[in-house]
Every structure is written in C-alpha cells, then in structure tokens.
Amino acid sequence: MALHIVKALKKRLHVVLESPTGTGKSAAILCATLAWQRWHISKNTATDRAGDEGDGSSSSSGGSRPRIIYCSRTHSQVAQMIASLQKTPYRPRMTVLGSRERLCIHKKINPRVI
C-alpha cells in the first residue's frame, strides 16, 4: 500500500485504496506521505546545494516543503492517530484544532476535564 501511495505522490496522481476496517489504512497512508515528504525535502535540498556550487545562481524553491493536513471527524480519531504515529519514527510538527467546547480546561466549567 505504501509503495503505491509514494509512487502516486511522486507522479502527482490519485490513489484509490480499499481495505477492511482496522487494518491500519490511516497510519499506513500518513506514514507513506511523511516518508514522501522527507524524500521531497531532501531532494530539493540536494538540488539547492548543487545549484549553489555551480555558477553561483541558487535554485532555491523558497518554502517548497509540502504541507500535510490530516482531518478527522472526531477528537478520539485524532487521538488514536497521534498514538499510532508515536509508534513510528516520524515526529512531525502538528497542531490539533478543536471546538470551543473542547478547549475549556477548567474543571468546574467543563466536567469532562480529567
């Protein structure tokens, strides 16, 4: 599965995946995408270095780091994905956005706070 995802990302194509519930599709897709992102960044860095060593003109692509956005329907799905991601070698910077209802951490106002 990961091989098909990376090939499609390199060629800027779409991929259709089918697999039963609980087989790790989300984690596989995210890890393959993060692997591709690493490859893309290292490829651009090597190209920039080669351009700097050549005729003095830089081929810097200025912010060419592809941004990966992961969306989920529920907070528990986000938490589950973060737990899965922590079992991998990837440690991307991430921000979790939530509703106002979930952002309140005062125990008297929001009884769901642990």
Side-chain angles (χ1 to χ4, degrees), residues 30-31 79-92 94:
L30 190 56
C31 286
Q80 187 177 12
M81 179 51 65
I82 290 171
S84 295
L85 194 58
Q86 288 175 342
K87 296 175 187 174
T88 71
Y90 300 103
R91 298 292 179 265
M94 66 178 87

Coordinates of all heavy atoms in Angstrom, one line a residue, residues 30-31 79-92 94:
L30 N -0.6 7.9 6.2 CA 0.1 9.0 6.8 C 1.6 8.8 6.9 O 2.4 9.7 6.5 CB -0.4 9.3 8.3 CG 0.1 10.6 8.9 CD1 -0.2 11.8 8.0 CD2 -0.5 10.8 10.3
C31 N 2.1 7.6 7.2 CA 3.5 7.3 7.2 C 4.1 7.3 5.8 O 5.2 7.8 5.6 CB 3.7 5.9 7.9 SG 3.5 5.9 9.7
A79 N -6.9 11.5 18.4 CA -6.0 10.9 19.5 C -5.5 9.6 19.1 O -4.3 9.2 19.4 CB -6.9 10.9 20.8
Q80 N -6.3 8.8 18.5 CA -5.9 7.4 18.0 C -4.8 7.5 17.0 O -3.8 6.8 17.0 CB -7.1 6.7 17.4 CG -6.9 5.2 17.1 CD -8.1 4.5 16.6 OE1 -9.1 5.2 16.3 NE2 -8.0 3.2 16.5
M81 N -4.9 8.5 16.0 CA -3.9 8.6 15.0 C -2.6 9.1 15.6 O -1.5 8.7 15.3 CB -4.4 9.6 13.9 CG -3.4 9.9 12.9 SD -2.7 8.4 12.1 CE -4.1 7.7 11.3
I82 N -2.7 10.0 16.6 CA -1.5 10.5 17.2 C -0.8 9.4 18.0 O 0.5 9.2 17.9 CB -1.8 11.7 18.2 CG1 -2.2 12.9 17.3 CG2 -0.6 12.0 19.1 CD1 -2.7 14.1 18.1
A83 N -1.5 8.5 18.6 CA -1.0 7.4 19.3 C -0.3 6.4 18.3 O 0.8 5.9 18.6 CB -2.1 6.7 20.1
S84 N -0.9 6.2 17.2 CA -0.3 5.3 16.2 C 0.9 6.0 15.6 O 1.9 5.3 15.4 CB -1.3 5.1 15.0 OG -2.4 4.4 15.4
L85 N 0.9 7.3 15.4 CA 2.1 8.0 14.9 C 3.3 7.9 15.8 O 4.4 7.9 15.4 CB 1.7 9.4 14.5 CG 2.6 10.2 13.6 CD1 2.8 9.5 12.3 CD2 2.1 11.6 13.4
Q86 N 3.0 7.9 17.1 CA 4.1 7.9 18.1 C 4.8 6.5 18.1 O 5.9 6.4 18.6 CB 3.5 8.2 19.5 CG 3.2 9.6 19.7 CD 2.5 9.9 21.0 OE1 2.0 9.0 21.7 NE2 2.5 11.2 21.4
K87 N 4.2 5.5 17.5 CA 4.9 4.2 17.4 C 5.8 4.1 16.1 O 6.4 3.1 15.9 CB 3.8 3.1 17.3 CG 3.0 3.0 18.5 CD 1.9 2.0 18.3 CE 0.9 2.0 19.5 NZ -0.2 1.1 19.3
T88 N 5.8 5.2 15.4 CA 6.6 5.2 14.1 C 7.9 6.2 14.4 O 7.9 6.9 15.4 CB 5.8 5.8 13.0 OG1 5.6 7.2 13.2 CG2 4.5 5.1 12.8
P89 N 8.8 6.2 13.4 CA 10.0 7.1 13.6 C 9.7 8.5 13.2 O 10.5 9.4 13.4 CB 11.0 6.5 12.6 CG 10.2 5.7 11.6 CD 9.0 5.3 12.3
Y90 N 8.4 8.8 12.8 CA 8.1 10.2 12.4 C 7.7 11.0 13.5 O 6.9 10.6 14.4 CB 7.0 10.2 11.3 CG 7.5 9.4 10.1 CD1 7.0 8.1 9.8 CD2 8.4 9.9 9.2 CE1 7.4 7.4 8.7 CE2 8.8 9.2 8.1 CZ 8.3 8.0 7.9 OH 8.7 7.3 6.8
R91 N 8.2 12.3 13.6 CA 7.8 13.2 14.6 C 7.5 14.6 14.0 O 8.2 15.5 14.2 CB 8.9 13.4 15.7 CG 9.3 12.1 16.5 CD 8.1 11.7 17.4 NE 8.4 10.5 18.1 CZ 8.1 9.3 17.7 NH1 7.4 9.1 16.6 NH2 8.4 8.2 18.4
P92 N 6.4 14.6 13.2 CA 6.1 15.9 12.5 C 5.6 16.9 13.5 O 5.1 16.6 14.6 CB 5.0 15.5 11.5 CG 4.3 14.4 12.2 CD 5.4 13.6 12.9
M94 N 2.9 19.4 14.6 CA 1.5 19.3 14.4 C 0.7 20.2 15.3 O 1.2 20.6 16.4 CB 1.0 17.9 14.6 CG 1.1 17.3 16.0 SD 0.4 15.6 16.1 CE 1.9 14.7 15.7

